[in-house]
Amino acid sequence: MRIELYDSITKVPRESWNRLARAHSETLSWEFWQVIERSGLNDFAYRHAMLLDEQGEPQAITSFYSVTTDIAIFAPPGLRVFLTRIRRWFPNFLKLRMLEWGSPVTINSPPFARSEALSDKQVIEAMDAVLRRTARAEGHFLIVVRDFEPNAQNLRSIFRRRGYHWTPSLPNTYMEIRWSTPEQYWDTMRSYYRSKLKKHLKRNQQAGVHHRLVDDFENMAEILHHQWMVVHQHAKEFQRETLTPTFYGELARTLEGRAKVILFYRGEALVGHALLLVDGDMLRWLYVGRAEAENDGLYIYIAHQVVVTAIALGVKRLEMGLTTYPIKQDLGAEVTPIFMALRAASGWINPFVGLGYALLNHVPQPNQRPVFKTTNVAA
């Protein structure tokens, strides 16, 4: 087995890459990476790897990147206040250039796709060697591998044997779509959650809120990005990638028909949006945007319409993403734990990395909520 590395997805053989990527996820595809690379997010510098057999046939594909990241990205409120103050004078305090294996904008668990000819262990060992070599050559302090949901927990022992610390990250949220209509969805909810939801929906409807689903939103890239920035700048739980108008435009053009936006209006005014991606039999809720940061219940309306859209599209699963857990849970989403594997590029520092990261970061672990009746039967 040998590894070929590329510094741009445009240099990677598209058909060979997609043959493995698309069996795993649209978000690993050549086209999705092209969108990311063209979008100019933060200071990401991307690399792509193909693991080839003796005949030169690709048997595994994956990507990694370097980026400046806040090492206290999940800092608890008290520490976050302290960091905000000290960064007025030292803007880069606890912000380090890191090497990350994964995706900068989505969850891919595990962060690679392979054929049956290779094992997970072979892929991980080969990539670990590449990451350590790259980190040493480029002076990266940390190597981070993300993300691992329950389907990839068996990989923990492989990483642990190679010196990685297994640490929790922000959990994800999913909903299994078992209904054919919104009415069936509402009927399976317990009365408390159903009445709570319908109260919020009624308030929004009385305020003149309505929506429409569109596939062609390339010419709206600037305004959608502006709405996303409003949400991003007011985020309290997590700030990482900074989107650009190009991201919206490229996504609409490159993944036409699979990328969709729900536009939300109050009267004639566009007040928000939800950015979606159809990924096989799953719908991914990628981002949300608002014209103004208000506590007016619009987000609940938006989240509900994302669920209704998943039902209408006939997908089997809806990914609702990170943060804002109470609202998503009230709609029936289940919280799914995520873990990362991390280690220092330097061997003598590495034993202290796990403890240091745990002291700087606090990850919420919301309890599941009994939203649906226990007698619920798939529709």
Side-chain angles (χ1 to χ4, degrees):
M1 181 178 61
R2 62 187 175 88
I3 299 179
E4 288 188 353
L5 295 177
Y6 305 85
D7 60 6
S8 171
I9 196 66
T10 59
K11 299 178 181 179
V12 179
R14 183 190 303 202
E15 290 186 7
S16 298
W17 181 276
N18 279 343
R19 193 177 303 123
L20 291 167
R22 283 229 161 91
H24 188 79
S25 170
E26 180 66 40
T27 57
L28 282 179
S29 71
W30 192 98
E31 289 78 10
F32 193 79
W33 272 108
Q34 183 184 52
V35 170
I36 292 174
E37 286 192 3
R38 287 179 174 177
S39 297
L41 310 180
N42 299 48
D43 59 348
F44 289 100
Y46 308 101
R47 264 68 64 92
H48 308 280
M50 297 184 74
L51 281 66
L52 311 176
D53 61 19
E54 293 180 354
Q55 289 72 43
E57 289 296 318
Q59 300 299 338
I61 57 98
T62 192
S63 301
F64 63 99
Y65 49 86
S66 57
V67 62
T68 302
T69 301
D70 186 350
I71 196 173
I73 195 168
F74 307 133
L79 178 57
R80 188 171 294 276
V81 170
F82 168 76
L83 291 174
T84 299
R85 290 174 179 171
I86 198 170
R87 284 171 179 168
R88 292 173 185 170
W89 303 98
F90 304 98
N92 294 321
F93 182 70
L94 291 184
K95 294 182 180 180
L96 304 174
R97 191 74 179 168
M98 301 183 190
L99 196 63
E100 296 193 7
W101 177 11
S103 168
V105 299
T106 59
I107 303 297
N108 283 311
S109 175
F112 57 85
R114 63 171 178 83
S115 72
E116 294 299 321
L118 291 182
S119 66
D120 292 332
K121 183 174 182 289
Q122 287 176 297
V123 176
I124 291 168
E125 289 181 348
M127 285 303 302
D128 175 49
V130 170
L131 293 171
R132 292 202 210 188
R133 185 168 62 248
T134 304
R136 287 194 296 269
E138 299 180 2
H140 298 295
F141 174 69
L142 272 185
I143 300 171
V144 180
V145 188
R146 44 181 300 264
D147 299 276
F148 302 98
E149 293 182 325
N151 70 315
Q153 292 303 302
N154 61 307
L155 305 182
R156 178 175 183 171
S157 60
I158 303 174
F159 280 98
R160 289 290 293 270
R161 285 194 294 270
R162 303 196 72 79
Y164 286 80
H165 303 269
W166 199 257
T167 185
S169 182
L170 283 183
N172 205 353
T173 51
Y174 289 97
M175 186 183 295
E176 304 301 323
I177 304 301
R178 306 181 293 272
W179 315 278
S180 301
T181 66
E183 290 75 19
Q184 290 177 349
Y185 163 63
W186 298 329
D187 287 345
T188 59
M189 299 179 81
R190 292 178 182 270
S191 59
Y192 169 77
Y193 294 98
R194 183 172 60 248
S195 61
K196 186 177 179 180
L197 170 60
K198 291 197 171 183
K199 180 176 68 175
H200 285 291
L201 296 181
K202 184 177 181 180
R203 287 178 181 173
N204 277 276
Q205 290 162 356
Q206 289 174 340
V209 176
H210 56 102
H211 64 278
R212 63 188 180 98
L213 179 67
V214 300
D215 292 345
D216 183 7
F217 54 91
E218 183 180 353
N219 62 349
M220 302 182 68
E222 291 284 349
I223 189 170
L224 296 179
H225 172 258
H226 172 76
Q227 290 187 349
W228 176 84
M229 284 296 298
V230 170
V231 173
H232 178 71
Q233 290 170 348
H234 288 83
K236 296 179 181 180
E237 296 173 281
F238 174 62
Q239 286 180 321
R240 181 180 151 82
E241 70 274 10
T242 302
L243 302 185
T244 63
T246 305
F247 176 79
Y248 278 90
E250 287 290 334
L251 196 69
R253 180 169 53 254
T254 305
L255 298 180
E256 183 180 2
R258 285 163 286 175
K260 302 174 184 293
V261 164
I262 312 176
L263 302 174
F264 295 89
Y265 298 85
R266 187 177 290 120
E268 298 298 318
L270 179 63
V271 294
H273 76 272
L275 180 63
L276 310 175
L277 178 68
V278 178
D279 187 1
D281 59 5
M282 179 168 67
L283 181 66
R284 294 181 184 262
W285 182 7
L286 297 179
Y287 295 103
V288 66
R290 293 204 51 173
E292 297 180 20
E294 298 180 76
N295 186 20
D296 55 3
L298 177 63
Y299 185 79
I300 298 172
Y301 185 92
I302 291 174
H304 172 260
Q305 291 307 323
V306 170
V307 175
V308 170
T309 300
I311 294 171
L313 292 175
V315 298
K316 295 180 180 179
R317 200 178 198 207
L318 169 63
E319 181 190 42
M320 301 189 77
L322 316 180
T323 73
T324 60
Y325 300 108
I327 291 175
K328 293 169 182 175
Q329 287 183 285
D330 277 357
L331 291 172
E334 294 189 356
V335 178
T336 299
I338 293 178
F339 288 84
M340 302 183 297
L342 62 114
R343 62 158 295 136
S346 171
W348 69 270
I349 297 176
N350 190 51
F352 308 101
V353 165
L355 177 60
Y357 190 86
L359 291 174
L360 291 172
N361 294 279
H362 172 71
V363 175
Q365 298 295 334
N367 294 322
Q368 304 291 0
R369 298 185 181 182
V371 173
F372 299 112
K373 303 170 185 175
T374 55
T375 56
N376 177 33
V377 178

